[in-house]
Every structure is written in structure tokens, then in C-alpha cells.
Amino acid sequence: EKPTIMVTGGAGYIGSHAVLALKDAGYGVVVIDNLVTGFRWAIPDDVPFVQGDIADQPLVEATLRDHGITAIMHFAGSVVVPESVENPLKYYHNNSAKTRDLIDSAVRVGVPHFIFSSTAATYGTPDVEAVREDTPQQPINPYGMSKLMTEYMLRDVAAAHPMNFCALRYFNVAGADPQGRTGQSTAGATHLIKVAVEAALGKRESVAIFGTDFATPDGTGVRDYIHVSDLAAAHVLALEALMAEPDRNHLLNCGYGRGFSVLDVLDAVDRATNNPIKRIMAPRRAGDPAALISDNRAILAAFPWQPRYADLDLIVAHALAWERALETRA
Ligand code: UFG
């Protein structure tokens, strides 16, 4: 009998894929989500669901106790970088302050393991080819800072209390469950692959290319796109590593260690549909680094992680399939 994991934000994009990965691996799962941005239908029917806030400490502590929770996977949070610049206190509230209360509940109940969704945005605009975990973390927006603050909280709490943690610093997450069970569902997204598949299906007129004069091979921004199901699998391995070595914490990049430009992505979407999307040249977005690529040697050394979908065409194909499925769901 495998332990039961509480997944915060399990009705959201990455969280709902983690729920499937945990279930597929035989773990018990309980989801807590306030459904502000998540979808009830994204949670499988046989997974217990608690509608509520991660900062509702009586509710969280009752849930942790009632289900004998062994680990928390914490996905709940706000994720839109430009919004964090406009409304920083929303980010320090949702991502930092509420997470402080969640961690407090975990300590009070004695939950031994905590897995946290961190981000490459904690590195800011690093001046290196491939970002290592010891590359200085200098966030350039409140989103990245709000996540870095949580890394610091976890480090200090793990030193003071019987809890270990893993912070996974995600690079650019994209794609959808290969079996079509969940995907990225929030409308009005700003993420490139989501925007491009929406355009490919006629839900948008065109795709703006934010900057064509970067110091990259084709002048457009380069990112390390990682399939959401490979990322979810990394969370299960993180859980197993935390349980195997309770005195060890992990702070790890989660990417494939290679980059694609905006044009590479748009070409892949065009290939998938055989029907070119309209492209518009636009100025750079404030704060966008030219390139952001992970050095992923640390996670490959720490976990037996074998990415299964490290292929841009596959990521795009799954994103497109989910975007089509969403049309029939709405
Ligand atoms: N881009 C466009 N047009 C668009 C959208 C994006 O040209 O319509 C470009 C961006 O300028 C960038 C690339 O596509 O060069 C990727 O942009 P995204 O908005 O998809 O993602 P970001 O790299 O800006 O940020 C994402 C997440 C963050 C996370 C970061 C970590 O949104 O939460 O990856 O790498 F922190």
C-alpha cells in the first residue's frame, strides 16, 4: 500500500498531470484547490477533492490528518509574469504568504515531505549558456521573487523541523497528457505553445513574435520547452527520493537542456496542421531574456528520470490534440 499525497492546485494545468502520474504509479491522492483558476473536471472522479484554500489552516490540517498524508505536492499559485509586475501583492499573497501558512500546517501535523513548484524565473536573465542550480538567483519580476521566497522558507523550515523538501525549477512547460485526460485549459493564456495552437485552430487571428533582434541564431527568444507529463513524472521521482533519504533536500532544474526559438515552435505548429499560422513581428516584451536553457545534469544524476516526450513535435501534437478536445468540452 503506497502512501497518500496531498496535491494543492490539483485542478490546474501541471497539478492535474501530477495527480494522474501519482495515480498511475499507485499512490493515493487527495486534491485541495480553491478552483479560482482550476477546473473541477480536471480531477479524476475517484480522487477525493477538497474545495478550499491552502491558507485555510483548520481545513488543511484536518485534510492532512484525515488522510494520513505523507507528502504535499504544492502547485497552487499564480503564474502570470506580467500580472505579477502590475499586481505584486497578489503574488506575494498567493505564492509566498499562503505558502507560508501551508508549510506551517505541514509542520504542525508533522508531514515529512514537501515538493514545491519553483521556476526558472528565479534566475532572472542569467548570463550563461545553460543555467545550473548554482547560477545566481536574481529574479527580475515579483513572480520569480515570490517563488524564490518560498525556496528560502523551505530551506529554513527543513533545517528546523523533521521535514525534507524538493524544489523543482521548471523551465517552459507545455504539451498535455498523451492519453488526452487533461491539458492546459485556461483561456487567454500567454504561453507561446498554447497561444500558437489556439491560433492554429482559429481561436486567434495571429501570433505575435515578441522580438526578432535577440542575440540568438534566428533573432527570436530561445526556451527549454519541457513536456508536462515528463515534468509530472519527475515529481513522482522527487517524492520517492525524499522518502528514501529523509535528511536530504533537492533543488533541481527541470528541463531537457536544449532550446528552441519562437520560430522553431511556430514552424512545428505549422508542420502539425499543414496550415501556416499568421505571424506578426512585435517588439520585445519587458524582461524577456534572449535564451533560457537548463543544465539538467543534476536532476539526471539525482533521480532515475528518463524523459519520454523530449521532442518538440510531440509536445506540439499533444497540445494541439488537447486544444481540439477543449472545443467539445466548452
Ligand atoms: N512569445 C512570443 N509570442 C507570444 C508568447 C511568447 O513571441 O505570444 C515568446 C516570448 O517572448 C519568449 C517565448 O515565446 O521568447 C516563451 O514565452 P512564454 O510566455 O511562453 O514563456 P516565458 O519564457 O516568458 O515564461 C515561462 C513561464 C514562466 C516561467 C518561465 C520559466 O510563463 O512562468 O517560463 O522559463 F517562469
Side-chain angles (χ1 to χ4, degrees):
E1 185 73 350
K2 290 195 180 177
T4 300
I5 314 308
M6 186 174 88
V7 177
T8 79
Y13 172 43
I14 303 173
S16 65
H17 288 81
V19 168
L20 294 177
L22 285 166
K23 260 173 63 74
D24 291 349
Y27 289 93
V29 184
V30 177
V31 167
I32 180 165
D33 197 301
N34 61 13
L35 298 183
V36 168
T37 53
F39 299 92
R40 177 67 183 89
W41 49 255
I43 306 163
D45 288 335
D46 58 350
V47 169
F49 170 60
V50 177
Q51 184 170 352
D53 204 275
I54 58 167
D56 181 343
Q57 293 195 261
L59 178 70
V60 166
E61 287 164 33
T63 304
L64 294 172
R65 286 202 180 90
D66 291 351
H67 295 272
I69 295 296
T70 294
I72 297 172
M73 282 192 189
H74 177 37
F75 298 91
S78 298
V79 299
V80 182
V81 173
E83 183 190 46
S84 80
V85 177
E86 300 286 314
N87 192 355
L89 291 174
K90 174 174 176 179
Y91 281 70
Y92 291 120
H93 188 223
N94 284 348
N95 293 356
S96 310
K98 287 186 177 190
T99 300
R100 182 258 162 228
D101 290 352
L102 174 69
I103 298 169
D104 186 40
S105 293
V107 168
R108 290 159 61 108
V109 175
V111 176
H113 312 294
F114 198 102
I115 296 156
F116 172 57
S117 301
S118 191
T119 170
T122 58
Y123 294 112
T125 50
D127 192 19
V128 290
E129 285 269 316
V131 180
R132 286 163 39 130
E133 286 79 0
D134 59 1
T135 299
Q137 288 176 293
Q138 295 166 327
I140 56 160
N141 51 59
Y143 168 70
M145 189 61 83
S146 71
K147 291 281 187 174
L148 182 56
M149 288 169 74
T150 301
E151 287 195 6
Y152 292 154
M153 284 193 277
L154 286 168
R155 183 195 61 191
D156 294 342
V157 170
H161 301 283
M163 171 197 283
N164 66 346
F165 77 95
C166 176
L168 293 174
R169 296 178 185 150
Y170 309 165
F171 282 67
N172 287 61
V173 188
D177 177 51
Q179 297 176 49
R181 295 171 293 178
T182 186
Q184 194 170 4
S185 306
T186 308
T190 58
H191 296 109
L192 178 63
I193 290 180
K194 176 78 175 170
V195 166
V197 298
E198 285 179 359
L201 297 184
K203 299 180 185 181
R204 294 176 187 254
E205 281 277 302
S206 58
V207 176
I209 301 172
F210 296 136
T212 52
D213 58 351
F214 285 108
T216 58
D218 67 21
T220 66
V222 169
R223 295 292 184 273
D224 188 344
Y225 294 94
I226 172 175
H227 193 293
V228 63
S229 297
D230 280 335
L231 180 64
H235 286 73
V236 177
L237 296 172
L239 167 67
E240 289 167 355
L242 292 179
M243 293 192 297
E245 280 187 276
D247 292 325
R248 186 161 171 203
N249 303 313
H250 299 270
L251 293 140
L252 296 167
N253 289 340
C254 219
Y256 293 143
R258 52 91 184 106
F260 290 104
S261 72
V262 175
L263 298 186
D264 291 333
V265 169
L266 299 183
D267 288 347
V269 176
D270 286 354
R271 272 198 299 280
T273 60
N274 222 352
N275 183 16
I277 327 167
K278 187 170 172 203
R279 306 175 181 193
I280 293 175
M281 313 269 231
R284 293 183 186 191
R285 244 176 6 189
D288 270 356
L292 199 53
I293 298 172
S294 67
D295 180 325
N296 67 0
R297 285 174 293 180
I299 189 170
L300 292 174
F303 304 160
W305 187 50
Q306 292 181 314
R308 297 173 64 187
Y309 310 107
D311 178 295
L312 182 60
D313 289 292
L314 208 50
I315 293 173
V316 165
H318 293 162
L320 201 53
W322 178 252
E323 201 60 42
R324 289 203 173 98
L326 270 181
E327 291 178 350
T328 59
R329 192 178 290 271

